Amino acid sequence: MSLGIGVLGCGSVFAGPYAGMIDRLHAHGRVHVAAVYDVDDRKRRGAAGRYDVEPDLAGPGALISRDDVDVVLVLTSMNEHGPLSRAALEAGKHVLVEKPLATSLEEASALVELAKTAPGLLVCAPHVLLSPTFRAIHACVREGRIGRLLSGRARYGWAGPWWADWFYRPGGGSLFDLGVYNVTTLCALFGPARRVTAMVGTAIPERDVSGRVIPVEADDNAHVLLDFGDARFAVVSTGFTMQRYRSPAVELYGSEGTAQLLGDDWAPEGWELWRNEEASWRLMPEADPHWQWTDGLRHLVDCVEAGVPTATRPEHALHALEIMLAAQAAGRDGVARQIRTGFPEPVYDGAMLAAEEAHRSHDRRSHDGI
Ligand SMILES: NC(=O)c1ccc[n+]([C@@H]2O[C@H](COP(=O)([O-])OP(=O)(O)OC[C@H]3O[C@@H](n4cnc5c(N)ncnc54)[C@H](O)[C@@H]3O)[C@@H](O)[C@H]2O)c1
């Protein structure tokens, strides 16, 4: 049965990346777009025309309440994520929400609680834990192949968005937009963080957005220190302050070796492994160069079809949000914050893998077994 998708927010991330994933799933009869809504008339009508659906829905509620919508994609600006996801879950829909899942801890905690009893599944971006490269590194670490994980570094940055000003307003910023990938990745490997401190600030006070110069009211530069207990630490370096780089995205230092993810954690380009016992570097090429960071949608569809829980848990997204909010607070007053939330270990179990394999082509060049 093809699942009906309702899209809330038809901006940049929808137009290319998610629409591409929808098209691929649609080509295999697994999903179809049933409804779209954006507060911007032009974008709403453009998306509606693309899928030949109702162009003038009255609002997000009108989309969420439709019987033909099974899955709601929340792809709006960040301050809208929490309320829209909540309404969709309450209406019994499956929900995919872009990051962060909400912009306040209260809103995010309520959402995670709701997801425990709601009939629909909740998948929270970023979907970095689903990449084959991340999974290989996760297995390597859990098997103890680099010994006990002691220290780590992760970075993701670029020059910054030019298409929407909300990125530079409260509820936006480089931590929520970019640092969230690294925080999610590192915590999946080290486990929940216990304490956070950070340098967080605005390095470029004005930005040109779509030809207008606007004041920047959110962070654009951050270095975050994570304490995982037992003197095990990691750092996240992020910002709309990086033009280019040629360093590993993630460096993991264990008591008996080192693992490094190349590229970016949302777009891996293979990984490297040093083990003292082997006394040499091994380069593992990217297992699936076609892997897309919108893979959370494919995972959600797999899990709905197979009736299994998702491998990525909303609690993980809540934990990442607590860390980012703590980092922002520590950036203001210099005081380290204890972290209270935790999350279950990601489980790439048999049911999930079977659901995935059922749809995956063996010919990865075509990657059309989606
Ligand atoms: N653009 C990217 O490359 C990218 C990549 C990964 C993740 N994301 C995430 O995707 C989300 C959207 O980013 P974007 O770059 O597409 O932003 P965008 O500004 O291009 O699009 C967001 C859209 O949401 C619409 N919107 C706002 N409030 C709404 C509401 N209440 N109901 C319906 N529509 C509403 C806006 O009109 C806009 O068209 C963000 O959370 C961002 O962090 C973006």
Side-chain angles (χ1 to χ4, degrees), residues 11-13 38 43 75-76 81 98-99 163 166 177 181:
S12 156
V13 82
D38 194 300
K43 291 183 191 169
L75 309 179
T76 62
H81 289 178
E98 256 304 329
K99 37 64 176 182
W163 58 87
W166 60 262
D177 194 41
Y181 291 88

Side-chain angles (χ1 to χ4, degrees), residues 3-337:
L3 293 170
I5 293 202
V7 181
L8 291 176
C10 307
S12 156
V13 82
F14 167 68
Y18 277 99
M21 181 58 80
I22 290 170
D23 288 350
R24 288 157 62 180
L25 290 163
H26 178 68
H28 289 264
R30 302 181 68 195
V31 304
H32 61 278
V33 173
V36 298
Y37 179 74
D38 194 300
V39 286
D40 181 312
D41 291 353
R42 191 182 53 81
K43 291 183 191 169
R44 184 180 66 248
R45 289 187 185 139
R50 179 172 181 167
Y51 296 103
D52 197 18
V53 295
E54 163 66 50
D56 280 317
L57 285 182
L63 179 146
I64 289 168
S65 63
R66 287 175 70 107
D67 289 341
D68 58 354
V69 169
D70 304 297
V71 177
V72 175
L73 304 190
V74 180
L75 309 179
T76 62
S77 35
M78 296 171 181
N79 283 324
E80 286 69 41
H81 289 178
L84 293 176
S85 300
R86 181 175 188 88
L89 274 183
E90 280 173 347
K93 310 296 183 184
H94 304 290
V95 175
L96 180 150
V97 57
E98 256 304 329
K99 37 64 176 182
L101 76 167
T103 49
S104 83
L105 204 55
E106 296 69 32
E107 210 176 20
S109 304
L111 199 55
V112 170
E113 276 308 303
L114 175 60
K116 288 179 185 162
T117 53
L121 298 175
L122 173 63
V123 165
C124 305
H127 313 299
V128 281
L129 274 48
L130 296 172
S131 86
T133 297
F134 173 82
R135 288 200 236 167
I137 293 175
H138 182 264
C140 163
V141 169
R142 288 295 175 270
E143 286 159 12
R145 295 177 67 208
I146 59 169
R148 195 166 154 258
L149 202 48
L150 303 175
S151 182
R153 285 154 51 102
R155 65 95 191 97
Y156 172 34
W158 73 297
W162 65 85
W163 58 87
D165 50 8
W166 60 262
F167 283 101
Y168 301 108
R169 296 228 178 99
S174 60
L175 261 176
F176 282 1
D177 194 41
L178 310 180
V180 63
Y181 291 88
N182 293 167
V183 170
T184 303
T185 296
L186 285 173
C187 290
L189 294 160
F190 279 85
R194 301 191 182 162
R195 200 165 58 111
V196 168
T197 192
M199 296 284 172
V200 180
T202 306
I204 302 176
E206 290 185 331
R207 293 270 176 168
D208 190 329
V209 175
S210 304
R212 279 181 312 120
V213 175
I214 60 158
V216 177
E217 300 167 63
D219 60 86
D220 69 357
N221 203 15
H223 291 253
V224 180
L225 274 172
L226 303 166
D227 177 353
F228 294 100
D230 303 321
R232 299 176 314 126
F233 307 128
V235 63
V236 167
S237 301
T238 192
F240 299 136
T241 45
M242 300 182 193
Q243 307 306 314
R244 287 285 188 278
Y245 39 67
R246 288 168 63 85
S247 55
V250 183
E251 302 166 31
L252 301 166
Y253 300 103
S255 55
E256 291 162 39
T258 299
Q260 307 198 132
L261 185 150
L262 308 177
D264 279 304
D265 51 5
W266 57 273
E269 292 172 11
W271 62 292
E272 296 175 327
L273 176 65
W274 169 278
R275 299 179 68 216
N276 290 350
E277 156 179 323
E278 291 168 5
S280 63
W281 283 100
R282 273 205 271 159
L283 172 63
M284 265 62 70
E286 181 52 38
D288 183 357
H290 301 282
W291 184 81
Q292 298 282 317
W293 54 263
T294 49
D295 202 34
L297 176 56
R298 196 246 341 141
H299 181 55
L300 176 57
V301 171
D302 279 351
C303 292
V304 171
E305 288 175 351
V308 297
T310 55
T312 49
R313 308 295 307 155
E315 289 86 349
H316 198 122
L318 175 65
H319 186 70
L321 179 67
E322 185 182 8
I323 288 173
M324 295 187 292
L325 291 168
Q328 289 170 342
R332 286 191 291 273
D333 62 18
V335 178
R337 299 306 201 270

